[in-house]
Amino acid sequence: MIESIDKNNLPRHIAVIMDGNGRWAKKQGAMRIFGHHHGITAVRDTVKACGELGVGYLTLYTFSTENWSRPKAEVDGIMNLLVKTITDEVPELHKSNVRLKCIGDLSQLPKNARESMIKGIEDTKNNTGLVLTLALSYSGKWDIIQAVKKIAEEVKTQNLEIDQINEAMFGNYLSTSPDPEVDLLIRTGGDHRISNYLLWQSAYAELLFLDDIFWPDFRKQHLFEAVLSYQHRERRFGKTGEQIKEKQIK
Ligand code: FPP
């Protein structure tokens, strides 16, 4: 499968909505947290697949702003799992030259989760391979608002003129900056929505909704299939198909 992938046409940035952990667990008569635990195997496989291909950026929707309203036991379970996973996996990530990052409102996280995240980021900050970003206490609307606040502050302090505000510079104020925008957005679990994920950054992303796979079952092979599917699509960015073909010939 990996041989069929065109290494010159890889998505630079893949974002994933890891959905279906709860339903996966329920299917086996287990508690929802069991599904989250098994989701880690899928995370490991996805990171390895991206590394093997040479994808530059992988951003995982690990915990949304809205997820805080889940039952406390589940929230606590996910936070504990996060701490354990970061502690267990960072040495391996470091060996593989992966750089760990985080986007979201970290101030909302329990202290131990925030601290282990900050340590993981620090330990891997000089790595030059895959950039693995965990979206934690994140929402796309939160990201846009925090960017607007920073810009407003600069206008207020006269470091920026209103006329200088444009699409190109706005991206620099988003939490993902300086990473490129999303090329491929994958969602497992059967729902066809973006759920307040990387709203600005996914403006031109190819969307791939996997109906038959809950996140804990996602493996390398699914990531490779997703990239192949991306490569079969024509990305027009508002232009005509003919314009795109002319550009390819030139
Ligand atoms: C969505 O499934 C999944 C989450 C809200 C949590 C995802 C967290 C992990 C995979 C574990 C931590 C990950 C890392 C990278 C340390 P759901 O609970 O909404 O499933 P459902 O739609 O079946 O209810």
Side-chain angles (χ1 to χ4, degrees):
M1 162 92 57
I2 190 165
E3 303 79 45
S4 329
I5 294 175
D6 177 0
K7 296 282 174 55
N8 296 315
N9 182 25
L10 290 173
R12 276 214 295 164
H13 187 169
I14 299 180
V16 186
I17 301 178
M18 311 183 283
D19 198 19
N21 294 351
R23 280 166 287 162
W24 184 91
K26 207 170 160 196
K27 237 177 42 181
Q28 3 237 328
M31 308 265 288
R32 296 176 56 82
I33 193 69
F34 184 67
H36 299 314
H37 276 265
H38 279 267
I40 301 299
T41 312
V43 169
R44 222 180 272 126
D45 244 45
T46 307
V47 171
K48 282 191 192 148
C50 286
E52 280 173 33
L53 282 179
V55 169
Y57 303 84
L58 173 67
T59 304
L60 303 175
Y61 209 1
T62 306
F63 195 85
S64 70
T65 308
E66 292 78 13
N67 286 151
W68 289 116
S69 50
R70 289 194 176 195
K72 186 175 179 316
E74 183 172 345
V75 171
D76 290 349
I78 294 177
M79 290 300 144
N80 290 338
L81 179 60
L82 178 71
V83 175
K84 180 177 163 20
T85 306
I86 294 171
T87 314
D88 291 351
E89 303 290 337
V90 162
E92 187 63 33
L93 291 176
H94 188 46
K95 257 195 248 158
S96 310
N97 198 22
V98 174
R99 181 170 160 214
L100 187 63
K101 282 188 21 176
C102 179
I103 52 172
D105 186 0
L106 274 190
S107 72
Q108 298 298 312
L109 295 184
K111 192 163 171 269
N112 63 343
R114 188 170 52 247
E115 285 176 357
S116 67
M117 197 65 234
I118 291 170
K119 183 173 181 321
I121 293 169
E122 184 63 25
D123 289 351
T124 60
K125 69 174 184 206
N126 294 321
N127 291 342
T128 54
L130 174 71
V131 175
L132 169 64
T133 303
L134 302 187
L136 277 172
S137 192
Y138 178 86
S139 82
K141 289 186 180 177
W142 167 85
D143 202 354
I144 292 168
I145 296 287
Q146 66 80 33
V148 168
K149 283 185 182 166
K150 282 192 228 156
I151 292 172
E153 192 60 39
E154 292 208 21
V155 171
K156 195 168 125 192
T157 54
Q158 296 184 338
N159 287 322
L160 196 68
E161 309 252 336
I162 288 181
D163 286 347
Q164 291 175 300
I165 301 174
N166 58 45
E167 287 184 21
M169 61 74 85
F170 193 86
N172 299 335
Y173 291 83
L174 291 167
S175 63
T176 41
S177 173
D179 300 353
E181 293 198 353
V182 176
D183 296 307
L184 173 61
L185 173 64
I186 304 169
R187 179 177 189 142
T188 56
D191 286 320
H192 295 195
R193 51 178 174 260
I194 299 186
S195 296
N196 207 355
Y197 197 23
L198 299 154
L199 297 177
W200 178 284
Q201 298 89 333
S202 297
Y204 276 101
E206 292 297 329
L207 308 181
L208 186 66
F209 298 108
L210 301 177
D211 293 335
D212 304 321
I213 303 166
F214 291 139
W215 178 250
D217 288 329
F218 192 86
R219 289 294 174 274
K220 267 188 195 177
Q221 159 221 340
H222 300 111
L223 193 281
F224 294 150
E225 281 169 9
V227 171
L228 272 176
S229 151
Y230 165 87
Q231 292 187 335
H232 287 120
R233 296 187 187 187
E234 183 183 65
R235 302 188 79 199
R236 292 197 293 278
F237 300 100
K239 296 186 176 150
T240 67
E242 287 71 26
Q243 284 175 303
I244 299 297
K245 284 195 186 78
E246 265 170 40
K247 199 171 161 231
Q248 282 165 349
I249 293 164
K250 273 181 201 161

